[in-house]
Amino acid sequence: MEHGTLTLQINDILKAKKISKNQICKDLDIPRTNFNRYCRNEFQRLDVGLICKLCHYLNVDISELITYNPPSI
């Protein structure tokens, strides 16, 4: 049974705030390869610590960062 998917809006937020991936990875001490997976929405599980870091650093609410996509019928 499908329950839907989550999509991270990282790329859109970075573009809107004019922040480079290199800069955010450096500032938050995140490996670029791991961060790229999140940017491409190629993750199996979310790291709660990373989500909190991103919300704080980007000054966004979690609802701006993560979108729930219901399953298609």
Side-chain angles (χ1 to χ4, degrees):
M1 175 179 204
E2 167 125 6
H3 299 287
T5 60
L6 296 176
T7 303
L8 294 174
Q9 305 302 322
I10 297 171
N11 287 323
D12 295 337
I13 295 169
L14 291 177
K15 184 183 267 187
K17 294 184 178 276
K18 297 182 169 88
I19 300 170
S20 73
K21 288 181 183 178
N22 285 335
Q23 187 62 51
I24 192 170
C25 288
K26 180 181 173 192
D27 291 346
L28 297 181
D29 194 29
I30 303 168
R32 178 69 187 259
T33 53
N34 294 355
F35 188 70
N36 283 337
R37 275 190 241 124
Y38 280 97
C39 290
R40 291 189 308 262
N41 289 294
E42 295 176 352
F43 54 86
Q44 295 296 316
R45 292 179 177 79
L46 292 175
D47 179 330
V48 176
L50 176 60
I51 297 302
C52 291
K53 279 183 179 181
L54 290 172
C55 286
H56 180 74
Y57 182 87
L58 297 169
N59 194 29
V60 296
D61 188 74
I62 195 166
S63 64
E64 297 172 82
L65 182 64
I66 302 173
T67 304
Y68 170 67
N69 309 296
S72 56
I73 298 176

